[in-house]
Amino acid sequence: MREHLIGIKELPDVAGKLAAGRIYVVMHDAEAGLEMACKTLAVACASGRAEWVAEDPSSYLKVSAELGREVAECLRRGDLRIFRMKAGGHRGMRLRLLNELDFIRVEPGSLIVVEGVDRFVEGDAAETWEEDVAAWQRWAERTRCAVLWMSPRRAGQSGHEADFLRMAHRFSGIARLRKSGGEVRWDIYYWFASEGLMADKSFRLGHDGCGNWRVDEREALRAEATEPAVDEDDVFILRAALPGGRSAPGWRVFDTDEQMKAALSSARAPTVILNYGAGSPMEALARFIFELRRSIGPQVKIAVKEEGGRLRHSHEQLLLSVGANLVIPSETGFSRMQSLVKSIQGQVFARALPSDFDAALSGVVAVEQMGYLAPESFVGAVSEVMERSQPLEVNNALVRLFLTPGLDMLEALRYCTMKRPGDLCTADDESVYVFLFACEEQDISTTLDRLFRLPVSVLFTAESRFLSAEDVAGALAEFDQRASGTRYEDYTAALANRSSAEVQLPAGSFPSSAKNRTRAPFTAVPHALRLRATHV
């Protein structure tokens, strides 16, 4: 029989499941409790049936529109039925409710949510109260239904924690959903599920405004990191990550990701070393790291060894954002590698993971466009890349290169060859704008020399660099304003129709520092002074 889930995302499994044949109690503040109950019912109806005994059958109309639609859809499909609970807490009502659940033929394995159970506690002796709870327990076991009792804290009344805790041997879980100091918390007195027991835990919750409660990401990751693990010193490594293919005494070596994944199925806190080589599929590596971090938890240490290739800065940021602790440079020998692995022992991954892998990937993968764009398209494309890369703190650069007097703009653009998605350029009437995706400040000059097939000092007389997000945005706004007032030429068609290999330059036309490639003729000042204005 399947377990139902509490309507709070990212709860650890042992704290978020409602087992068949068990009774659970949630004491709550009114508003938060209603939303949690509605979400729990909607989740249950996604793959089963649910019954809701409510004080106000129309209360689901008071939650967010999106959550209300989810509940309404459950009602429309017939997966959910709502019944009104009559006022009063006398013993006859408590037992009659059980008979009525039998009368309506509750489907075995359903989720039963009962609101207002604080009324159950009122007015009767302790002996009578215990007998009725025992009757509910037997009913849950017989029907294999998961029962969730919701006990609100009403204005001007004391709570009933003590009354429920006296019956702790009858309940499989008692928790409290409370507001305190401007935040909402999920306090667990104790909670049983098939995975085991959790007791005396508290999680801070966030709310997305659509009826979805979610455990704070860092608290969820730390939930299982309270005790040292027996496999803390174990090291799992892919053979391809070993420098020079050497042996690794004491380490567990695997030939494939799948072999390693199977061996890690019951792991808690080992060190895992993966490899990155030339041509390694970045998305597959990042996804594997993300899945390991999600499935094992915050205590596993994940390192990536560059072996036969070097990671781009943007790719390194991606791997660290999806769960890696460390990137080991390609030139690192085995002895140094052992020291680095030892240095991360005991670490707990505390960064918040993205909600899903696609969200992480979209933050660092640039737009598919590259090369020359018309001025209006350039502004939009660069703005998009900046927005998508900022959450993972990827550093980009915008460079304005002022054209050498006498050199035709089209000729200058023909010497620019961009092959990496996200690297973009455009031009106004006196300069070329080059946007370098995921480029550090110290790499700008080298990158520009790589992009242009003639020396940059020959093609341009000066440059301005915009490095911070604010400066890039300001430069784009200024360029866009000028472009709207002056219609700058669009070279897209001209660049597409003209080959850059039409004419060869005679040997020795440029100093030895120039690249030895096929070039077209040009008119330029060969030894112009190069200036730089840097904006940080």
Side-chain angles (χ1 to χ4, degrees), residues 158 209 220 232 270 339 341 354 427 458 467 509 512:
S158 60
E232 173 70 39
S339 299
V341 169
V458 169
L467 306 178
S509 296
S512 58

Side-chain angles (χ1 to χ4, degrees), residues 403-454:
L403 194 66
T404 296
L407 180 62
D408 182 72
M409 182 65 72
L410 179 60
E411 297 302 314
L413 290 171
R414 286 174 56 210
Y415 293 115
C416 182
T417 56
M418 292 180 167
K419 299 181 179 179
R420 190 177 64 146
D423 286 350
L424 307 167
C425 68
T426 194
D428 56 20
D429 53 5
E430 63 176 0
S431 55
V432 173
Y433 284 81
V434 177
F435 178 76
L436 302 175
F437 171 70
C439 184
E440 299 288 340
E441 181 180 6
Q442 64 269 21
D443 298 326
I444 292 176
S445 296
T446 302
T447 302
L448 289 174
D449 287 338
R450 174 176 55 81
L451 293 180
F452 287 93
R453 295 181 297 110
L454 287 182

Side-chain angles (χ1 to χ4, degrees), residues 226-237:
T226 56
E227 298 178 0
V230 296
D231 57 357
E232 173 70 39
D233 297 325
D234 292 350
V235 178
F236 294 68
I237 186 170

Side-chain angles (χ1 to χ4, degrees), residues 28-35 152-153:
H28 62 89
D29 295 333
E31 301 84 358
L34 176 60
E35 290 186 333
R153 180 183 291 274

Side-chain angles (χ1 to χ4, degrees), residues 375-380 383 433 473-486 488:
E376 60 272 18
S377 300
F378 177 84
V379 173
S383 298
Y433 284 81
L476 287 177
E478 188 272 336
F479 174 75
D480 189 46
Q481 184 177 13
R482 285 190 289 110
S484 62
T486 304
Y488 295 129

